[in-house]
Amino acid sequence: MFKFFKRKEDKFQKLIEEQASIAYEALKLLVKYLETLDPEVAAELSLKEKEADEVRRILIDELNHTFVTPFDREDIFALSRSIDDVVDYADTTAMEMLILNVKSTPYMLRIASLLKDATYEIWHAVQRLPKHPAIAIDHAQRAKALENRVEAVYREAIADLFSGPEDLHHVVEMLKLREVYRHLSNAADRGDEAANSIADIVVKKT
């Protein structure tokens, strides 16, 4: 009987870890895209997004067919959704930039680098959940601190963006850039939600 429950725990733990790992890989690709503006890197990122969606579909299917879960199923669902959303917004950032023909800015690169570091912390937090929940909390707090820095850079970017439109063309470019900045800010929000979900799981386990 113990082995039965252990298999269930390992299954969900493995899937969440896989999601978090993919999120980290996706953010590394986003940073690379912002550095190079290479459409092939954007295509790689889109493939990562599809890979992440597939893992999430499997996790949801397992949730629907599993009576006993290692954590509250609502917490598993929320953590999985938040991690998946981070990947979605990373992908849509690159897609919007390609569609709107937006060039990278130093603000975008700073934000993406912070998001990459935050997803690294979330990945490690998820790995530590089963045996070292206190360490998981530490990683989650680091992720939240990084995402707070994202919001500070986002506000700085928006303030700079609207500091002095010169003509209609400039206004159009401003609106395009604001759209991209919003995608990055949304990614940070979802990362913050993931860190909160990890904290909720630890509180309920201890």
Side-chain angles (χ1 to χ4, degrees), residues 193-206:
E193 288 176 7
N196 288 336
S197 293
I198 290 166
D200 290 342
I201 289 169
V202 171
V203 167
K204 291 176 183 178
K205 277 176 63 74
T206 54

Side-chain angles (χ1 to χ4, degrees), residues 3 21 23 27 31 37 39 46 48 59 62 73 80 87 104 117 122-124 131 135 168-169 173-174 188 200 204 206:
K3 289 181 179 178
S21 175
L27 265 297
V31 170
L37 295 179
S46 288
K48 278 293 173 189
L59 184 142
E62 293 288 354
R73 63 182 62 246
S80 172
V87 181
S104 178
D117 292 344
I122 289 169
W123 177 35
H124 277 271
K131 296 182 179 179
I135 306 301
L168 182 59
H169 173 75
E173 290 302 310
M174 285 168 51
D200 290 342
K204 291 176 183 178
T206 54

Side-chain angles (χ1 to χ4, degrees), residues 65-110:
H65 293 90
T66 302
F67 181 69
V68 177
T69 57
F71 320 123
D72 284 355
R73 63 182 62 246
E74 292 83 3
D75 290 332
I76 295 173
F77 184 87
L79 177 56
S80 172
R81 179 184 58 200
S82 297
I83 293 173
D84 188 63
D85 284 347
V86 171
V87 181
D88 287 344
Y89 279 117
D91 182 42
T92 56
T93 296
M95 286 177 60
E96 290 284 333
M97 290 180 70
L98 280 169
I99 292 169
L100 299 174
N101 193 28
V102 171
K103 304 301 181 185
S104 178
T105 70
Y107 292 116
M108 290 178 193
L109 191 54
R110 284 169 61 192

Side-chain angles (χ1 to χ4, degrees), residues 125-144:
V126 166
Q127 289 177 300
R128 303 294 176 261
L129 273 174
K131 296 182 179 179
H132 303 283
I135 306 301
I137 285 284
D138 185 51
H139 283 293
Q141 289 173 339
R142 292 180 190 178
K144 288 179 70 67

